[in-house]
Coordinates of all heavy atoms in Angstrom, one line a residue:
F3 N 27.0 -16.2 32.3 CA 28.2 -15.8 31.5 C 29.1 -17.0 31.3 O 29.0 -18.0 32.0 CB 29.0 -14.7 32.3 CG 28.3 -13.5 32.5 CD1 28.2 -13.0 33.8 CD2 27.6 -12.9 31.5 CE1 27.5 -11.9 34.0 CE2 26.7 -11.7 31.7 CZ 26.7 -11.2 33.1
V30 N 27.9 -1.0 24.7 CA 26.4 -1.5 24.5 C 25.5 -0.5 24.8 O 25.5 0.2 25.9 CB 26.4 -2.7 25.3 CG1 24.9 -3.4 25.2 CG2 27.4 -3.8 24.9
L43 N 17.9 -5.8 32.8 CA 18.9 -6.1 31.7 C 20.1 -5.2 31.9 O 21.2 -5.7 31.7 CB 18.2 -5.9 30.4 CG 19.1 -6.0 29.1 CD1 19.7 -7.4 29.0 CD2 18.2 -5.7 27.9
L47 N 23.9 -6.4 32.4 CA 25.0 -6.2 31.5 C 26.1 -5.4 32.2 O 27.3 -5.5 31.7 CB 24.4 -5.2 30.3 CG 23.4 -5.9 29.4 CD1 22.9 -4.9 28.3 CD2 24.1 -7.0 28.6
D50 N 28.5 -7.9 33.2 CA 29.3 -8.7 32.3 C 30.6 -8.1 32.0 O 30.6 -7.0 31.5 CB 28.4 -8.6 30.9 CG 28.9 -9.6 29.9 OD1 30.1 -9.9 29.9 OD2 28.1 -10.1 29.1
L52 N 32.5 -8.5 29.6 CA 32.8 -8.2 28.2 C 32.2 -6.8 27.8 O 32.4 -6.3 26.7 CB 32.2 -9.2 27.2 CG 32.9 -10.5 27.4 CD1 32.3 -11.6 26.5 CD2 34.4 -10.5 27.3
V53 N 31.3 -6.2 28.6 CA 30.7 -4.9 28.4 C 31.6 -3.8 29.1 O 31.7 -3.9 30.3 CB 29.2 -4.8 28.9 CG1 28.7 -3.4 28.6 CG2 28.4 -5.8 28.3
V97 N 26.9 -2.6 20.0 CA 25.7 -3.4 20.2 C 24.6 -2.6 20.7 O 24.8 -1.9 21.7 CB 26.1 -4.6 21.1 CG1 24.9 -5.4 21.3 CG2 27.1 -5.5 20.4
V98 N 23.5 -2.7 20.1 CA 22.3 -2.1 20.5 C 21.2 -3.0 20.9 O 20.8 -3.9 20.0 CB 21.8 -1.1 19.5 CG1 20.4 -0.4 20.0 CG2 22.7 -0.1 19.0
V99 N 20.7 -3.1 22.1 CA 19.6 -4.0 22.5 C 18.4 -3.2 22.6 O 18.4 -2.1 23.3 CB 20.1 -4.8 23.9 CG1 19.1 -5.9 24.1 CG2 21.5 -5.2 23.9
L140 N 20.0 -6.0 18.4 CA 19.3 -7.1 19.1 C 17.9 -6.7 19.5 O 17.7 -5.8 20.4 CB 20.1 -7.6 20.3 CG 21.4 -8.3 20.2 CD1 22.4 -7.8 19.2 CD2 22.2 -8.5 21.5
I142 N 14.3 -7.2 21.2 CA 13.5 -7.8 22.0 C 12.0 -7.4 21.9 O 11.1 -8.3 22.1 CB 13.9 -7.5 23.5 CG1 15.3 -8.0 23.8 CG2 12.9 -8.0 24.6 CD1 16.0 -7.5 25.2
I171 N 15.8 -11.6 19.4 CA 16.2 -12.5 20.5 C 15.0 -13.4 21.0 O 14.0 -13.1 21.4 CB 16.5 -11.6 21.8 CG1 17.6 -10.6 21.5 CG2 16.9 -12.5 23.0 CD1 18.3 -9.9 22.6
T173 N 15.9 -16.1 22.8 CA 16.6 -16.9 23.9 C 15.7 -17.2 25.0 O 15.9 -18.3 25.6 CB 17.7 -16.0 24.4 OG1 18.5 -15.5 23.3 CG2 18.7 -16.8 25.3
A254 N 15.1 -10.4 30.9 CA 16.4 -9.7 31.2 C 17.6 -10.7 31.2 O 18.6 -10.5 30.5 CB 16.4 -8.8 32.4
Y255 N 17.4 -11.8 31.8 CA 18.3 -12.8 31.9 C 18.7 -13.4 30.5 O 19.9 -13.5 30.2 CB 17.8 -14.0 32.8 CG 18.6 -15.2 32.8 CD1 19.7 -15.5 33.6 CD2 18.3 -16.2 31.9 CE1 20.4 -16.6 33.6 CE2 19.0 -17.4 31.9 CZ 20.2 -17.6 32.8 OH 20.8 -18.7 32.7
A256 N 17.6 -13.6 29.8 CA 17.8 -14.2 28.4 C 18.5 -13.2 27.5 O 19.4 -13.5 26.7 CB 16.4 -14.6 27.8
G257 N 18.1 -11.9 27.7 CA 18.7 -10.9 26.8 C 20.2 -10.7 27.1 O 21.0 -10.5 26.3
A258 N 20.5 -10.8 28.5 CA 21.9 -10.6 28.9 C 22.7 -11.8 28.4 O 23.8 -11.8 28.0 CB 22.1 -10.5 30.3
K259 N 22.0 -13.0 28.4 CA 22.7 -14.2 28.0 C 23.1 -14.2 26.5 O 24.1 -14.6 26.1 CB 21.8 -15.5 28.4 CG 22.5 -16.8 28.0 CD 21.5 -17.8 28.6 CE 22.1 -19.3 28.5 NZ 21.5 -20.3 29.2
F260 N 22.1 -13.8 25.7 CA 22.3 -13.7 24.2 C 23.4 -12.6 24.0 O 24.3 -12.8 23.2 CB 21.1 -13.4 23.4 CG 21.3 -13.3 22.0 CD1 21.5 -14.5 21.2 CD2 21.5 -12.2 21.3 CE1 21.8 -14.5 19.9 CE2 21.9 -12.1 20.0 CZ 22.0 -13.3 19.3
T261 N 23.3 -11.4 24.6 CA 24.3 -10.4 24.4 C 25.7 -10.9 24.7 O 26.7 -10.7 23.9 CB 24.0 -9.2 25.3 OG1 22.7 -8.8 25.0 CG2 24.9 -8.1 25.0
N262 N 25.9 -11.6 25.8 CA 27.1 -12.2 26.3 C 27.6 -13.2 25.1 O 28.8 -13.2 24.7 CB 27.0 -12.9 27.5 CG 28.5 -13.5 27.9 OD1 28.5 -14.7 27.8 ND2 29.3 -12.7 28.4
S263 N 26.7 -14.0 24.5 CA 27.1 -14.9 23.5 C 27.6 -14.1 22.3 O 28.6 -14.5 21.7 CB 26.0 -15.8 23.0 OG 25.5 -16.6 24.1
L264 N 26.9 -13.1 21.9 CA 27.3 -12.3 20.7 C 28.7 -11.7 21.0 O 29.5 -11.7 20.1 CB 26.3 -11.2 20.4 CG 26.6 -10.2 19.2 CD1 26.8 -11.1 17.9 CD2 25.7 -9.1 19.1
L265 N 29.0 -11.0 22.2 CA 30.1 -10.4 22.5 C 31.4 -11.5 22.4 O 32.4 -11.1 22.0 CB 30.1 -9.8 23.8 CG 29.1 -8.6 23.9 CD1 29.1 -8.0 25.3 CD2 29.6 -7.4 22.9
R266 N 31.1 -12.6 22.9 CA 32.1 -13.7 22.8 C 32.4 -14.0 21.4 O 33.6 -14.1 21.0 CB 31.7 -14.9 23.6 CG 31.7 -14.8 25.1 CD 31.6 -16.1 25.8 NE 30.1 -16.4 26.0 CZ 29.7 -17.6 25.6 NH1 30.5 -18.6 25.1 NH2 28.4 -18.0 25.7
G267 N 31.4 -14.1 20.6 CA 31.6 -14.4 19.1 C 32.4 -13.2 18.5 O 33.3 -13.3 17.7
L268 N 32.0 -11.9 18.8 CA 32.6 -10.8 18.3 C 34.0 -10.7 18.7 O 34.9 -10.3 18.0 CB 31.9 -9.4 18.7 CG 30.5 -9.2 18.2 CD1 29.9 -8.0 18.8 CD2 30.5 -9.2 16.7
L299 N 27.9 -17.5 16.0 CA 28.3 -16.1 16.2 C 29.7 -15.9 16.1 O 30.5 -16.7 16.6 CB 27.7 -15.6 17.4 CG 26.2 -15.7 17.7 CD1 25.8 -15.5 19.0 CD2 25.4 -14.8 16.7

Side-chain angles (χ1 to χ4, degrees):
F3 303 128
V30 176
L43 175 61
L47 293 175
D50 186 337
L52 298 182
V53 177
V97 173
V98 180
V99 192
L140 283 48
I142 292 174
I171 302 195
T173 314
Y255 170 87
K259 187 169 182 166
F260 183 80
T261 306
N262 179 259
S263 296
L264 177 65
L265 292 175
R266 287 192 280 129
L268 294 179
L299 302 167

